[in-house]
C-alpha cells in the first residue's frame, strides 16, 4: 500500500529517528519539509496520509523572531480541522495545541534527560500504555494547555501536560519517543549551549541513553506501531 507522510523538521538532528523504519514497513513514502526553508503549503499538508511535526529549540509564541511559524500554524490548523492523522513531538505538539486554540507558554524551568512518565487513565487506554514502564527522553521548557475536547494522557511532577489525543488520529507528545539513543551525541552537540546554560551534564544524558535506549526503542516502537495501525 502506497501512502505518503509529510514531516516538518525544524533542526536536522531532530528527525524521525526510530519512526523512520516503522513508516517504511507500513508503505509510507516520507518527505521532509525543512521549516523556515521549504514552503509549507496548507493544502499539501492536509492532503498527506500522515503528517509529523517534529521538535526544535524555539517557541510557538516567537512568531516575531521566526515569521515562518505563522504559516506553519495555519497549515497545521487546516489539517487538524479535517481530522487527518497527525503526530506532533515537543515543538510539534505545542504547534498543534496552539493551532487548536490552547495556550503555549514558557515555564521558566526545563525538563531535560531521561525520566519516567505517569500515564493518566486516558493514557492507559491508548498505545502509550506500552511505554509506562520505561524512562523517556524529555527536552523542553515550554508547556501546552490541553486543547478543548482533547484527552490528557500523561504527566510528570513538573509538567502536568505531557501528551494529548484528539480522537484516534491526532496525537501530541511533549517528550521524545522518536529519538534514537544511538545518535544521542547529535543532540548533545546540537543543544550544547542550552545544556551549558542550564547546568545539565551531557555525560549523564549519554549514560542514561546507553542504559535505557534499547528498552525505550522497543516500547516506543510498539506504541507508535499501534497508533499507526489504528488508522
Amino acid at each position: 500500500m502506497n501512502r505518503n507522510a509529510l514531516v516538518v523538521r525544524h533542526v536536522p538532528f531532530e528527525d524521525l529517528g526510530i519512526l523512520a523504519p516503522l513508516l517504511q514497513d507500513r508503505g509510507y513514502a516520507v518527505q521532509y519539509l525543512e521549516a523556515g526553508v521549504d514552503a509549507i503549503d496548507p493544502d499539501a499538508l492536509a492532503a498527506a496520509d500522515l503528517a509529523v511535526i517534529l521538535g526544535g529549540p524555539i517557541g510557538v509564541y516567537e512568531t516575531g523572531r521566526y515569521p515562518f511559524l505563522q504559516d506553519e500554524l495555519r497549515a497545521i490548523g487546516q489539517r487538524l480541522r479535517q481530522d487527518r492523522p497527525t503526530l506532533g513531538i515537543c515543538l510539534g505538539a505545542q504547534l498543534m495545541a496552539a493551532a487548536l486554540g490552547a495556550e503555549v507558554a514558557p515555564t521558566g524551568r526545563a525538563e531535560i534527560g531521561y525520566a519516567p512518565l505517569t500515564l493518566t487513565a486516558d493514557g492507559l487506554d491508548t498505545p502509550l500504555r506500552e511505554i509506562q514502564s520505561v524512562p523517556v527522553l524529555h527536552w523542553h521548557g515550554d508547556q501546552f494547555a490541553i486543547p478543548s475536547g482533547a484527552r490528557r494522557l500523561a504527566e510528570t511532577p513538573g509538567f502536568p501536560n505531557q501528551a494529548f489525543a484528539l480522537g484516534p488520529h491526532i496525537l501530541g507528545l511533549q517528550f521524545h519517543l522518536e529519538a534514537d539513543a544511538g545518535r544521542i551525541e547529535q543532540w548533545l552537540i546540537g543543544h550544547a549551549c542550552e545544556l551549558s546554560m542550564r547546568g545539565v551534564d551531557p555525560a549523564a544524558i549519554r549514560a542514561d541513553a546507553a542504559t535505557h535506549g534499547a528498552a525505550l526503542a522497543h516500547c516506543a516502537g510498539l506504541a507508535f506501531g499501534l497508533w499507526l495501525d489504528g488508522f
Side-chain angles (χ1 to χ4, degrees):
M1 184 175 182
N2 294 320
R3 292 178 282 192
N4 70 313
L6 275 184
V7 181
V8 180
R9 177 166 55 185
H10 298 89
V11 288
F13 59 87
E14 293 196 31
D15 56 17
L16 285 174
I18 69 161
L19 255 175
L22 297 176
L23 294 178
Q24 182 179 12
D25 290 346
R26 287 162 174 78
Y28 283 91
V30 172
Q31 177 187 354
Y32 280 101
L33 296 175
E34 306 298 343
V37 177
D38 297 326
I40 300 177
D41 178 68
D43 293 336
L45 192 68
D49 295 299
L50 172 67
V52 182
I53 317 299
L54 294 170
I58 58 176
V60 170
Y61 43 83
E62 294 184 288
T63 53
R65 293 185 176 187
Y66 305 101
F68 70 85
L69 286 171
Q70 299 179 60
D71 293 333
E72 191 172 347
L73 282 164
R74 280 192 290 269
I76 292 170
Q78 177 171 312
R79 181 176 178 87
L80 295 179
R81 285 191 295 273
Q82 297 177 16
D83 193 31
R84 302 283 288 154
T86 308
L87 171 65
I89 296 173
C90 201
L91 172 61
Q94 294 162 9
L95 286 162
M96 289 168 56
L100 290 167
E103 181 184 11
V104 178
T107 64
R109 58 189 186 280
E111 195 170 43
I112 299 175
Y114 288 84
L117 291 164
T118 299
L119 298 182
T120 66
D122 281 336
L124 289 168
D125 193 38
T126 72
L128 292 184
R129 61 183 174 272
E130 300 293 340
I131 65 165
Q132 63 179 316
S133 62
V134 294
V136 302
L137 179 62
H138 301 273
W139 211 302
H140 49 258
D142 292 352
Q143 180 170 277
F144 52 73
I146 301 300
S148 177
R151 297 187 296 162
R152 189 176 71 91
L153 306 182
E155 61 186 16
T156 59
F159 287 79
N161 298 333
Q162 286 280 357
F164 67 86
L166 188 60
H169 300 151
I170 295 171
L171 179 63
L173 307 177
Q174 180 79 349
F175 46 91
H176 290 275
L177 280 192
E178 86 296 354
D180 181 349
R183 292 167 49 209
I184 195 66
E185 211 64 32
Q186 291 180 300
W187 289 65
L188 301 180
I189 296 167
H191 291 304
C193 290
E194 181 182 20
L195 293 175
S196 177
M197 179 185 71
R198 296 191 183 277
V200 178
D201 184 359
I205 299 175
R206 187 181 296 117
D208 284 344
T211 300
H212 303 299
L216 177 57
H218 174 73
C219 295
L222 292 176
F224 279 140
L226 287 170
W227 185 72
L228 290 168
D229 293 341
F231 298 160

